[in-house]
Amino acid sequence: MHRIGIGSDIHRLVEGRPLVIGGVKIDSELGAEGHSDADVLCHALCDAILGALALGDLGKHFPSDEERWRNAESFIFLRYVVGLMKERGFSISNVDSTVHLEKPKLRPYTDDIKRGLAEVLETETNCISVKAKTGEGVDAVGERRAIRADATVLLAKV
Ligand code: MG
């Protein structure tokens, strides 16, 4: 049995914040604003897995007005969601994702991102795809005001 889920997320880019994508710290003059570490890729992935399980969204499980999640590492959220998935007898078949960011280029980081995600998602790196797209100078991504991520996940019942 398979279940499919999609997730997306957007965060404002500001000065004085770190930029963390898929658990990897990116060297960037702008960082993502948010209550937690604002890791868009992790948030999109959490929503995709929760969506596949029909368990609501990230905000339902980790309300952004709760002080204990301030600056929290988003891998905490992802580990929790993976726990819910495993409780229900599912594992990751594959993940496809796109990070929309104008600068810097993400390619030098994608192998590290995939390695970290594979560990948390308890799967192999060849089951995880992380693509990068710029905003071509248009929209909030193109104008370097935001970072966005989209993720699709397929779960299989073990
Ligand atoms: Mg978010």
PDB file of all heavy atoms in Angstrom, residues 61-100:
ATOM      1  N   HIS A  61       0.779  20.271  14.815  1.00  0.00           N
ATOM      2  CA  HIS A  61       1.599  19.479  15.743  1.00  0.00           C
ATOM      3  C   HIS A  61       2.591  20.337  16.529  1.00  0.00           C
ATOM      4  O   HIS A  61       2.938  20.000  17.653  1.00  0.00           O
ATOM      5  CB  HIS A  61       2.346  18.375  14.979  1.00  0.00           C
ATOM      6  CG  HIS A  61       1.413  17.370  14.355  1.00  0.00           C
ATOM      7  ND1 HIS A  61       1.035  16.218  15.007  1.00  0.00           N
ATOM      8  CD2 HIS A  61       0.759  17.373  13.169  1.00  0.00           C
ATOM      9  CE1 HIS A  61       0.195  15.534  14.225  1.00  0.00           C
ATOM     10  NE2 HIS A  61       0.018  16.215  13.116  1.00  0.00           N
ATOM     11  N   PHE A  62       3.066  21.418  15.885  1.00  0.00           N
ATOM     12  CA  PHE A  62       4.057  22.292  16.525  1.00  0.00           C
ATOM     13  C   PHE A  62       3.627  23.745  16.379  1.00  0.00           C
ATOM     14  O   PHE A  62       4.166  24.468  15.528  1.00  0.00           O
ATOM     15  CB  PHE A  62       5.441  22.090  15.890  1.00  0.00           C
ATOM     16  CG  PHE A  62       5.996  20.709  16.087  1.00  0.00           C
ATOM     17  CD1 PHE A  62       5.848  19.736  15.103  1.00  0.00           C
ATOM     18  CD2 PHE A  62       6.663  20.371  17.263  1.00  0.00           C
ATOM     19  CE1 PHE A  62       6.348  18.461  15.275  1.00  0.00           C
ATOM     20  CE2 PHE A  62       7.179  19.095  17.444  1.00  0.00           C
ATOM     21  CZ  PHE A  62       7.011  18.130  16.449  1.00  0.00           C
ATOM     22  N   PRO A  63       2.657  24.209  17.181  1.00  0.00           N
ATOM     23  CA  PRO A  63       2.157  25.585  17.042  1.00  0.00           C
ATOM     24  C   PRO A  63       3.285  26.614  17.146  1.00  0.00           C
ATOM     25  O   PRO A  63       4.137  26.520  18.038  1.00  0.00           O
ATOM     26  CB  PRO A  63       1.178  25.728  18.210  1.00  0.00           C
ATOM     27  CG  PRO A  63       0.778  24.330  18.551  1.00  0.00           C
ATOM     28  CD  PRO A  63       1.976  23.478  18.254  1.00  0.00           C
ATOM     29  N   SER A  64       3.293  27.575  16.207  1.00  0.00           N
ATOM     30  CA  SER A  64       4.397  28.551  16.161  1.00  0.00           C
ATOM     31  C   SER A  64       4.287  29.585  17.283  1.00  0.00           C
ATOM     32  O   SER A  64       5.181  30.415  17.450  1.00  0.00           O
ATOM     33  CB  SER A  64       4.438  29.245  14.796  1.00  0.00           C
ATOM     34  OG  SER A  64       3.238  29.930  14.579  1.00  0.00           O
ATOM     35  N   ASP A  65       3.200  29.541  18.082  1.00  0.00           N
ATOM     36  CA  ASP A  65       3.142  30.481  19.211  1.00  0.00           C
ATOM     37  C   ASP A  65       3.668  29.828  20.500  1.00  0.00           C
ATOM     38  O   ASP A  65       3.635  30.432  21.569  1.00  0.00           O
ATOM     39  CB  ASP A  65       1.708  31.018  19.419  1.00  0.00           C
ATOM     40  CG  ASP A  65       0.670  29.917  19.595  1.00  0.00           C
ATOM     41  OD1 ASP A  65       1.053  28.722  19.632  1.00  0.00           O
ATOM     42  OD2 ASP A  65      -0.528  30.258  19.692  1.00  0.00           O
ATOM     43  N   GLU A  66       4.176  28.596  20.388  1.00  0.00           N
ATOM     44  CA  GLU A  66       4.726  27.944  21.583  1.00  0.00           C
ATOM     45  C   GLU A  66       6.197  28.295  21.766  1.00  0.00           C
ATOM     46  O   GLU A  66       7.024  28.033  20.896  1.00  0.00           O
ATOM     47  CB  GLU A  66       4.538  26.414  21.506  1.00  0.00           C
ATOM     48  CG  GLU A  66       3.131  26.005  21.897  1.00  0.00           C
ATOM     49  CD  GLU A  66       2.959  24.490  22.016  1.00  0.00           C
ATOM     50  OE1 GLU A  66       3.971  23.766  22.154  1.00  0.00           O
ATOM     51  OE2 GLU A  66       1.799  24.052  21.954  1.00  0.00           O
ATOM     52  N   GLU A  67       6.494  28.868  22.910  1.00  0.00           N
ATOM     53  CA  GLU A  67       7.840  29.379  23.199  1.00  0.00           C
ATOM     54  C   GLU A  67       8.907  28.280  23.063  1.00  0.00           C
ATOM     55  O   GLU A  67      10.026  28.536  22.633  1.00  0.00           O
ATOM     56  CB  GLU A  67       7.840  29.971  24.622  1.00  0.00           C
ATOM     57  CG  GLU A  67       9.037  30.806  24.956  1.00  0.00           C
ATOM     58  CD  GLU A  67       9.336  31.914  23.945  1.00  0.00           C
ATOM     59  OE1 GLU A  67       8.376  32.522  23.398  1.00  0.00           O
ATOM     60  OE2 GLU A  67      10.518  32.137  23.677  1.00  0.00           O
ATOM     61  N   ARG A  68       8.545  27.026  23.415  1.00  0.00           N
ATOM     62  CA  ARG A  68       9.581  25.975  23.408  1.00  0.00           C
ATOM     63  C   ARG A  68      10.098  25.656  22.002  1.00  0.00           C
ATOM     64  O   ARG A  68      11.127  25.000  21.856  1.00  0.00           O
ATOM     65  CB  ARG A  68       9.061  24.709  24.077  1.00  0.00           C
ATOM     66  CG  ARG A  68       7.880  24.070  23.371  1.00  0.00           C
ATOM     67  CD  ARG A  68       7.313  22.950  24.206  1.00  0.00           C
ATOM     68  NE  ARG A  68       5.985  22.578  23.764  1.00  0.00           N
ATOM     69  CZ  ARG A  68       5.551  21.347  23.673  1.00  0.00           C
ATOM     70  NH1 ARG A  68       6.333  20.359  24.013  1.00  0.00           N
ATOM     71  NH2 ARG A  68       4.332  21.093  23.254  1.00  0.00           N
ATOM     72  N   TRP A  69       9.378  26.102  20.962  1.00  0.00           N
ATOM     73  CA  TRP A  69       9.869  25.826  19.604  1.00  0.00           C
ATOM     74  C   TRP A  69      10.656  26.994  19.032  1.00  0.00           C
ATOM     75  O   TRP A  69      11.056  26.966  17.879  1.00  0.00           O
ATOM     76  CB  TRP A  69       8.699  25.463  18.670  1.00  0.00           C
ATOM     77  CG  TRP A  69       7.883  24.325  19.177  1.00  0.00           C
ATOM     78  CD1 TRP A  69       6.528  24.323  19.373  1.00  0.00           C
ATOM     79  CD2 TRP A  69       8.346  23.021  19.580  1.00  0.00           C
ATOM     80  NE1 TRP A  69       6.129  23.114  19.878  1.00  0.00           N
ATOM     81  CE2 TRP A  69       7.222  22.295  20.016  1.00  0.00           C
ATOM     82  CE3 TRP A  69       9.606  22.404  19.621  1.00  0.00           C
ATOM     83  CZ2 TRP A  69       7.314  20.984  20.497  1.00  0.00           C
ATOM     84  CZ3 TRP A  69       9.707  21.109  20.095  1.00  0.00           C
ATOM     85  CH2 TRP A  69       8.564  20.423  20.520  1.00  0.00           C
ATOM     86  N   ARG A  70      10.889  28.043  19.858  1.00  0.00           N
ATOM     87  CA  ARG A  70      11.656  29.187  19.357  1.00  0.00           C
ATOM     88  C   ARG A  70      13.078  28.734  19.004  1.00  0.00           C
ATOM     89  O   ARG A  70      13.760  28.113  19.820  1.00  0.00           O
ATOM     90  CB  ARG A  70      11.683  30.298  20.412  1.00  0.00           C
ATOM     91  CG  ARG A  70      12.426  31.552  19.928  1.00  0.00           C
ATOM     92  CD  ARG A  70      12.345  32.681  20.935  1.00  0.00           C
ATOM     93  NE  ARG A  70      10.976  33.127  21.190  1.00  0.00           N
ATOM     94  CZ  ARG A  70      10.270  33.928  20.376  1.00  0.00           C
ATOM     95  NH1 ARG A  70      10.810  34.359  19.266  1.00  0.00           N
ATOM     96  NH2 ARG A  70       9.039  34.276  20.678  1.00  0.00           N
ATOM     97  N   ASN A  71      13.476  29.051  17.778  1.00  0.00           N
ATOM     98  CA  ASN A  71      14.801  28.687  17.247  1.00  0.00           C
ATOM     99  C   ASN A  71      15.079  27.175  17.282  1.00  0.00           C
ATOM    100  O   ASN A  71      16.240  26.754  17.211  1.00  0.00           O
ATOM    101  CB  ASN A  71      15.913  29.441  17.987  1.00  0.00           C
ATOM    102  CG  ASN A  71      15.839  30.933  17.742  1.00  0.00           C
ATOM    103  OD1 ASN A  71      15.532  31.362  16.630  1.00  0.00           O
ATOM    104  ND2 ASN A  71      16.066  31.727  18.765  1.00  0.00           N
ATOM    105  N   ALA A  72      14.021  26.380  17.418  1.00  0.00           N
ATOM    106  CA  ALA A  72      14.199  24.919  17.459  1.00  0.00           C
ATOM    107  C   ALA A  72      14.758  24.413  16.130  1.00  0.00           C
ATOM    108  O   ALA A  72      14.441  24.949  15.064  1.00  0.00           O
ATOM    109  CB  ALA A  72      12.866  24.232  17.742  1.00  0.00           C
ATOM    110  N   GLU A  73      15.601  23.387  16.218  1.00  0.00           N
ATOM    111  CA  GLU A  73      16.104  22.732  15.011  1.00  0.00           C
ATOM    112  C   GLU A  73      14.952  21.988  14.359  1.00  0.00           C
ATOM    113  O   GLU A  73      14.301  21.168  15.016  1.00  0.00           O
ATOM    114  CB  GLU A  73      17.124  21.669  15.438  1.00  0.00           C
ATOM    115  CG  GLU A  73      18.535  21.992  15.104  1.00  0.00           C
ATOM    116  CD  GLU A  73      19.442  20.857  15.519  1.00  0.00           C
ATOM    117  OE1 GLU A  73      19.297  19.759  14.972  1.00  0.00           O
ATOM    118  OE2 GLU A  73      20.273  21.088  16.423  1.00  0.00           O
ATOM    119  N   SER A  74      14.733  22.199  13.086  1.00  0.00           N
ATOM    120  CA  SER A  74      13.579  21.581  12.430  1.00  0.00           C
ATOM    121  C   SER A  74      13.727  20.069  12.282  1.00  0.00           C
ATOM    122  O   SER A  74      12.742  19.377  12.013  1.00  0.00           O
ATOM    123  CB  SER A  74      13.319  22.247  11.079  1.00  0.00           C
ATOM    124  OG  SER A  74      12.917  23.583  11.307  1.00  0.00           O
ATOM    125  N   PHE A  75      14.949  19.541  12.455  1.00  0.00           N
ATOM    126  CA  PHE A  75      15.108  18.085  12.442  1.00  0.00           C
ATOM    127  C   PHE A  75      14.288  17.446  13.573  1.00  0.00           C
ATOM    128  O   PHE A  75      13.882  16.296  13.457  1.00  0.00           O
ATOM    129  CB  PHE A  75      16.580  17.691  12.568  1.00  0.00           C
ATOM    130  CG  PHE A  75      17.272  17.487  11.234  1.00  0.00           C
ATOM    131  CD1 PHE A  75      16.751  18.045  10.071  1.00  0.00           C
ATOM    132  CD2 PHE A  75      18.433  16.731  11.131  1.00  0.00           C
ATOM    133  CE1 PHE A  75      17.369  17.857   8.837  1.00  0.00           C
ATOM    134  CE2 PHE A  75      19.067  16.535   9.903  1.00  0.00           C
ATOM    135  CZ  PHE A  75      18.542  17.099   8.762  1.00  0.00           C
ATOM    136  N   ILE A  76      14.050  18.217  14.657  1.00  0.00           N
ATOM    137  CA  ILE A  76      13.203  17.713  15.749  1.00  0.00           C
ATOM    138  C   ILE A  76      11.794  17.426  15.218  1.00  0.00           C
ATOM    139  O   ILE A  76      11.203  16.388  15.504  1.00  0.00           O
ATOM    140  CB  ILE A  76      13.127  18.760  16.897  1.00  0.00           C
ATOM    141  CG1 ILE A  76      14.495  18.929  17.552  1.00  0.00           C
ATOM    142  CG2 ILE A  76      12.052  18.398  17.923  1.00  0.00           C
ATOM    143  CD1 ILE A  76      14.567  20.095  18.532  1.00  0.00           C
ATOM    144  N   PHE A  77      11.283  18.369  14.417  1.00  0.00           N
ATOM    145  CA  PHE A  77       9.936  18.204  13.846  1.00  0.00           C
ATOM    146  C   PHE A  77       9.915  17.002  12.894  1.00  0.00           C
ATOM    147  O   PHE A  77       8.991  16.196  12.902  1.00  0.00           O
ATOM    148  CB  PHE A  77       9.505  19.455  13.068  1.00  0.00           C
ATOM    149  CG  PHE A  77       9.618  20.750  13.827  1.00  0.00           C
ATOM    150  CD1 PHE A  77       9.866  21.946  13.170  1.00  0.00           C
ATOM    151  CD2 PHE A  77       9.481  20.784  15.212  1.00  0.00           C
ATOM    152  CE1 PHE A  77       9.971  23.146  13.861  1.00  0.00           C
ATOM    153  CE2 PHE A  77       9.579  21.980  15.919  1.00  0.00           C
ATOM    154  CZ  PHE A  77       9.833  23.159  15.244  1.00  0.00           C
ATOM    155  N   LEU A  78      10.970  16.929  12.077  1.00  0.00           N
ATOM    156  CA  LEU A  78      11.019  15.865  11.073  1.00  0.00           C
ATOM    157  C   LEU A  78      11.121  14.486  11.744  1.00  0.00           C
ATOM    158  O   LEU A  78      10.452  13.541  11.330  1.00  0.00           O
ATOM    159  CB  LEU A  78      12.213  16.117  10.144  1.00  0.00           C
ATOM    160  CG  LEU A  78      12.182  15.457   8.768  1.00  0.00           C
ATOM    161  CD1 LEU A  78      10.877  15.707   8.032  1.00  0.00           C
ATOM    162  CD2 LEU A  78      13.354  15.942   7.918  1.00  0.00           C
ATOM    163  N   ARG A  79      11.925  14.398  12.803  1.00  0.00           N
ATOM    164  CA  ARG A  79      12.051  13.119  13.522  1.00  0.00           C
ATOM    165  C   ARG A  79      10.710  12.709  14.119  1.00  0.00           C
ATOM    166  O   ARG A  79      10.338  11.540  14.104  1.00  0.00           O
ATOM    167  CB  ARG A  79      13.086  13.224  14.644  1.00  0.00           C
ATOM    168  CG  ARG A  79      14.487  13.101  14.135  1.00  0.00           C
ATOM    169  CD  ARG A  79      15.498  12.798  15.234  1.00  0.00           C
ATOM    170  NE  ARG A  79      16.828  12.988  14.681  1.00  0.00           N
ATOM    171  CZ  ARG A  79      17.532  14.103  14.817  1.00  0.00           C
ATOM    172  NH1 ARG A  79      17.078  15.097  15.542  1.00  0.00           N
ATOM    173  NH2 ARG A  79      18.712  14.211  14.244  1.00  0.00           N
ATOM    174  N   TYR A  80       9.985  13.681  14.662  1.00  0.00           N
ATOM    175  CA  TYR A  80       8.676  13.407  15.255  1.00  0.00           C
ATOM    176  C   TYR A  80       7.699  12.881  14.182  1.00  0.00           C
ATOM    177  O   TYR A  80       7.002  11.883  14.394  1.00  0.00           O
ATOM    178  CB  TYR A  80       8.128  14.689  15.894  1.00  0.00           C
ATOM    179  CG  TYR A  80       6.707  14.595  16.361  1.00  0.00           C
ATOM    180  CD1 TYR A  80       6.399  14.045  17.606  1.00  0.00           C
ATOM    181  CD2 TYR A  80       5.661  15.072  15.564  1.00  0.00           C
ATOM    182  CE1 TYR A  80       5.077  13.955  18.029  1.00  0.00           C
ATOM    183  CE2 TYR A  80       4.345  14.986  15.984  1.00  0.00           C
ATOM    184  CZ  TYR A  80       4.061  14.433  17.221  1.00  0.00           C
ATOM    185  OH  TYR A  80       2.765  14.342  17.634  1.00  0.00           O
ATOM    186  N   VAL A  81       7.702  13.538  13.028  1.00  0.00           N
ATOM    187  CA  VAL A  81       6.801  13.153  11.944  1.00  0.00           C
ATOM    188  C   VAL A  81       7.168  11.752  11.414  1.00  0.00           C
ATOM    189  O   VAL A  81       6.286  10.939  11.122  1.00  0.00           O
ATOM    190  CB  VAL A  81       6.841  14.225  10.819  1.00  0.00           C
ATOM    191  CG1 VAL A  81       6.155  13.748   9.561  1.00  0.00           C
ATOM    192  CG2 VAL A  81       6.210  15.525  11.317  1.00  0.00           C
ATOM    193  N   VAL A  82       8.475  11.484  11.320  1.00  0.00           N
ATOM    194  CA  VAL A  82       8.922  10.151  10.896  1.00  0.00           C
ATOM    195  C   VAL A  82       8.442   9.106  11.916  1.00  0.00           C
ATOM    196  O   VAL A  82       8.044   7.997  11.548  1.00  0.00           O
ATOM    197  CB  VAL A  82      10.466  10.123  10.719  1.00  0.00           C
ATOM    198  CG1 VAL A  82      10.998   8.703  10.617  1.00  0.00           C
ATOM    199  CG2 VAL A  82      10.856  10.916   9.482  1.00  0.00           C
ATOM    200  N   GLY A  83       8.447   9.472  13.191  1.00  0.00           N
ATOM    201  CA  GLY A  83       7.922   8.582  14.233  1.00  0.00           C
ATOM    202  C   GLY A  83       6.455   8.250  14.009  1.00  0.00           C
ATOM    203  O   GLY A  83       6.042   7.086  14.111  1.00  0.00           O
ATOM    204  N   LEU A  84       5.662   9.254  13.671  1.00  0.00           N
ATOM    205  CA  LEU A  84       4.231   9.030  13.392  1.00  0.00           C
ATOM    206  C   LEU A  84       4.066   8.096  12.198  1.00  0.00           C
ATOM    207  O   LEU A  84       3.195   7.213  12.184  1.00  0.00           O
ATOM    208  CB  LEU A  84       3.519  10.365  13.084  1.00  0.00           C
ATOM    209  CG  LEU A  84       3.448  11.394  14.204  1.00  0.00           C
ATOM    210  CD1 LEU A  84       2.781  12.678  13.697  1.00  0.00           C
ATOM    211  CD2 LEU A  84       2.667  10.844  15.395  1.00  0.00           C
ATOM    212  N   MET A  85       4.930   8.308  11.209  1.00  0.00           N
ATOM    213  CA  MET A  85       4.894   7.479   9.995  1.00  0.00           C
ATOM    214  C   MET A  85       5.199   6.021  10.329  1.00  0.00           C
ATOM    215  O   MET A  85       4.482   5.099   9.904  1.00  0.00           O
ATOM    216  CB  MET A  85       5.923   8.039   9.001  1.00  0.00           C
ATOM    217  CG  MET A  85       6.145   7.216   7.766  1.00  0.00           C
ATOM    218  SD  MET A  85       7.551   7.827   6.793  1.00  0.00           S
ATOM    219  CE  MET A  85       8.926   7.010   7.626  1.00  0.00           C
ATOM    220  N   LYS A  86       6.255   5.809  11.129  1.00  0.00           N
ATOM    221  CA  LYS A  86       6.665   4.439  11.473  1.00  0.00           C
ATOM    222  C   LYS A  86       5.620   3.735  12.344  1.00  0.00           C
ATOM    223  O   LYS A  86       5.372   2.537  12.172  1.00  0.00           O
ATOM    224  CB  LYS A  86       8.020   4.459  12.174  1.00  0.00           C
ATOM    225  CG  LYS A  86       9.164   4.757  11.206  1.00  0.00           C
ATOM    226  CD  LYS A  86      10.448   5.102  11.918  1.00  0.00           C
ATOM    227  CE  LYS A  86      11.024   3.894  12.651  1.00  0.00           C
ATOM    228  NZ  LYS A  86      12.236   4.293  13.419  1.00  0.00           N
ATOM    229  N   GLU A  87       5.008   4.498  13.260  1.00  0.00           N
ATOM    230  CA  GLU A  87       3.941   3.934  14.111  1.00  0.00           C
ATOM    231  C   GLU A  87       2.828   3.327  13.268  1.00  0.00           C
ATOM    232  O   GLU A  87       2.174   2.385  13.681  1.00  0.00           O
ATOM    233  CB  GLU A  87       3.307   5.051  14.948  1.00  0.00           C
ATOM    234  CG  GLU A  87       3.974   5.331  16.273  1.00  0.00           C
ATOM    235  CD  GLU A  87       3.422   6.614  16.895  1.00  0.00           C
ATOM    236  OE1 GLU A  87       2.228   6.936  16.683  1.00  0.00           O
ATOM    237  OE2 GLU A  87       4.205   7.273  17.584  1.00  0.00           O
ATOM    238  N   ARG A  88       2.613   3.938  12.104  1.00  0.00           N
ATOM    239  CA  ARG A  88       1.539   3.473  11.224  1.00  0.00           C
ATOM    240  C   ARG A  88       2.028   2.451  10.203  1.00  0.00           C
ATOM    241  O   ARG A  88       1.308   2.092   9.277  1.00  0.00           O
ATOM    242  CB  ARG A  88       0.892   4.682  10.544  1.00  0.00           C
ATOM    243  CG  ARG A  88       0.004   5.449  11.513  1.00  0.00           C
ATOM    244  CD  ARG A  88      -0.203   6.899  11.138  1.00  0.00           C
ATOM    245  NE  ARG A  88      -1.001   7.561  12.167  1.00  0.00           N
ATOM    246  CZ  ARG A  88      -0.513   7.996  13.348  1.00  0.00           C
ATOM    247  NH1 ARG A  88       0.760   7.850  13.623  1.00  0.00           N
ATOM    248  NH2 ARG A  88      -1.319   8.555  14.234  1.00  0.00           N
ATOM    249  N   GLY A  89       3.277   2.035  10.343  1.00  0.00           N
ATOM    250  CA  GLY A  89       3.803   0.951   9.503  1.00  0.00           C
ATOM    251  C   GLY A  89       4.315   1.385   8.144  1.00  0.00           C
ATOM    252  O   GLY A  89       4.481   0.558   7.247  1.00  0.00           O
ATOM    253  N   PHE A  90       4.564   2.693   7.983  1.00  0.00           N
ATOM    254  CA  PHE A  90       5.026   3.164   6.675  1.00  0.00           C
ATOM    255  C   PHE A  90       6.514   3.477   6.692  1.00  0.00           C
ATOM    256  O   PHE A  90       7.095   3.760   7.744  1.00  0.00           O
ATOM    257  CB  PHE A  90       4.269   4.436   6.263  1.00  0.00           C
ATOM    258  CG  PHE A  90       2.868   4.172   5.769  1.00  0.00           C
ATOM    259  CD1 PHE A  90       1.792   4.245   6.644  1.00  0.00           C
ATOM    260  CD2 PHE A  90       2.627   3.849   4.446  1.00  0.00           C
ATOM    261  CE1 PHE A  90       0.492   3.992   6.203  1.00  0.00           C
ATOM    262  CE2 PHE A  90       1.344   3.599   3.998  1.00  0.00           C
ATOM    263  CZ  PHE A  90       0.278   3.668   4.882  1.00  0.00           C
ATOM    264  N   SER A  91       7.107   3.436   5.499  1.00  0.00           N
ATOM    265  CA  SER A  91       8.482   3.919   5.331  1.00  0.00           C
ATOM    266  C   SER A  91       8.510   4.773   4.066  1.00  0.00           C
ATOM    267  O   SER A  91       7.579   4.739   3.261  1.00  0.00           O
ATOM    268  CB  SER A  91       9.458   2.747   5.226  1.00  0.00           C
ATOM    269  OG  SER A  91       9.179   2.014   4.063  1.00  0.00           O
ATOM    270  N   ILE A  92       9.617   5.519   3.916  1.00  0.00           N
ATOM    271  CA  ILE A  92       9.754   6.398   2.743  1.00  0.00           C
ATOM    272  C   ILE A  92      10.096   5.569   1.503  1.00  0.00           C
ATOM    273  O   ILE A  92      11.055   4.806   1.520  1.00  0.00           O
ATOM    274  CB  ILE A  92      10.896   7.421   2.971  1.00  0.00           C
ATOM    275  CG1 ILE A  92      10.647   8.281   4.216  1.00  0.00           C
ATOM    276  CG2 ILE A  92      11.152   8.254   1.722  1.00  0.00           C
ATOM    277  CD1 ILE A  92       9.714   9.432   4.061  1.00  0.00           C
ATOM    278  N   SER A  93       9.300   5.725   0.433  1.00  0.00           N
ATOM    279  CA  SER A  93       9.684   5.141  -0.858  1.00  0.00           C
ATOM    280  C   SER A  93      10.634   6.089  -1.558  1.00  0.00           C
ATOM    281  O   SER A  93      11.722   5.707  -1.969  1.00  0.00           O
ATOM    282  CB  SER A  93       8.458   4.949  -1.754  1.00  0.00           C
ATOM    283  OG  SER A  93       7.893   3.709  -1.555  1.00  0.00           O
ATOM    284  N   ASN A  94      10.195   7.316  -1.728  1.00  0.00           N
ATOM    285  CA  ASN A  94      11.097   8.351  -2.261  1.00  0.00           C
ATOM    286  C   ASN A  94      10.553   9.737  -1.958  1.00  0.00           C
ATOM    287  O   ASN A  94       9.383   9.905  -1.629  1.00  0.00           O
ATOM    288  CB  ASN A  94      11.328   8.183  -3.767  1.00  0.00           C
ATOM    289  CG  ASN A  94      10.168   8.649  -4.603  1.00  0.00           C
ATOM    290  OD1 ASN A  94       9.073   8.119  -4.473  1.00  0.00           O
ATOM    291  ND2 ASN A  94      10.384   9.645  -5.437  1.00  0.00           N
ATOM    292  N   VAL A  95      11.469  10.687  -2.039  1.00  0.00           N
ATOM    293  CA  VAL A  95      11.149  12.099  -1.806  1.00  0.00           C
ATOM    294  C   VAL A  95      11.637  12.881  -3.008  1.00  0.00           C
ATOM    295  O   VAL A  95      12.749  12.644  -3.487  1.00  0.00           O
ATOM    296  CB  VAL A  95      11.902  12.610  -0.552  1.00  0.00           C
ATOM    297  CG1 VAL A  95      11.885  14.133  -0.491  1.00  0.00           C
ATOM    298  CG2 VAL A  95      11.335  12.016   0.719  1.00  0.00           C
ATOM    299  N   ASP A  96      10.831  13.800  -3.500  1.00  0.00           N
ATOM    300  CA  ASP A  96      11.314  14.755  -4.489  1.00  0.00           C
ATOM    301  C   ASP A  96      11.040  16.151  -3.929  1.00  0.00           C
ATOM    302  O   ASP A  96       9.993  16.365  -3.322  1.00  0.00           O
ATOM    303  CB  ASP A  96      10.610  14.556  -5.839  1.00  0.00           C
ATOM    304  CG  ASP A  96      11.259  15.382  -6.938  1.00  0.00           C
ATOM    305  OD1 ASP A  96      12.386  15.869  -6.735  1.00  0.00           O
ATOM    306  OD2 ASP A  96      10.635  15.536  -8.010  1.00  0.00           O
ATOM    307  N   SER A  97      11.986  17.038  -4.106  1.00  0.00           N
ATOM    308  CA  SER A  97      11.793  18.377  -3.551  1.00  0.00           C
ATOM    309  C   SER A  97      12.490  19.423  -4.402  1.00  0.00           C
ATOM    310  O   SER A  97      13.403  19.118  -5.176  1.00  0.00           O
ATOM    311  CB  SER A  97      12.346  18.432  -2.120  1.00  0.00           C
ATOM    312  OG  SER A  97      13.746  18.284  -2.133  1.00  0.00           O
ATOM    313  N   THR A  98      12.017  20.651  -4.282  1.00  0.00           N
ATOM    314  CA  THR A  98      12.639  21.793  -4.953  1.00  0.00           C
ATOM    315  C   THR A  98      12.762  22.933  -3.948  1.00  0.00           C
ATOM    316  O   THR A  98      11.799  23.231  -3.243  1.00  0.00           O
ATOM    317  CB  THR A  98      11.788  22.283  -6.152  1.00  0.00           C
ATOM    318  OG1 THR A  98      11.522  21.191  -7.016  1.00  0.00           O
ATOM    319  CG2 THR A  98      12.508  23.374  -6.933  1.00  0.00           C
ATOM    320  N   VAL A  99      13.952  23.505  -3.889  1.00  0.00           N
ATOM    321  CA  VAL A  99      14.168  24.702  -3.064  1.00  0.00           C
ATOM    322  C   VAL A  99      14.292  25.883  -4.021  1.00  0.00           C
ATOM    323  O   VAL A  99      15.079  25.848  -4.966  1.00  0.00           O
ATOM    324  CB  VAL A  99      15.451  24.577  -2.214  1.00  0.00           C
ATOM    325  CG1 VAL A  99      15.687  25.863  -1.420  1.00  0.00           C
ATOM    326  CG2 VAL A  99      15.355  23.378  -1.282  1.00  0.00           C
ATOM    327  N   HIS A 100      13.481  26.903  -3.768  1.00  0.00           N
ATOM    328  CA  HIS A 100      13.500  28.102  -4.613  1.00  0.00           C
ATOM    329  C   HIS A 100      14.249  29.202  -3.869  1.00  0.00           C
ATOM    330  O   HIS A 100      13.773  29.689  -2.842  1.00  0.00           O
ATOM    331  CB  HIS A 100      12.065  28.571  -4.915  1.00  0.00           C
ATOM    332  CG  HIS A 100      11.217  27.514  -5.541  1.00  0.00           C
ATOM    333  ND1 HIS A 100      11.025  27.435  -6.903  1.00  0.00           N
ATOM    334  CD2 HIS A 100      10.511  26.489  -4.998  1.00  0.00           C
ATOM    335  CE1 HIS A 100      10.227  26.393  -7.165  1.00  0.00           C
ATOM    336  NE2 HIS A 100       9.908  25.801  -6.032  1.00  0.00           N
TER     337      HIS A 100
END
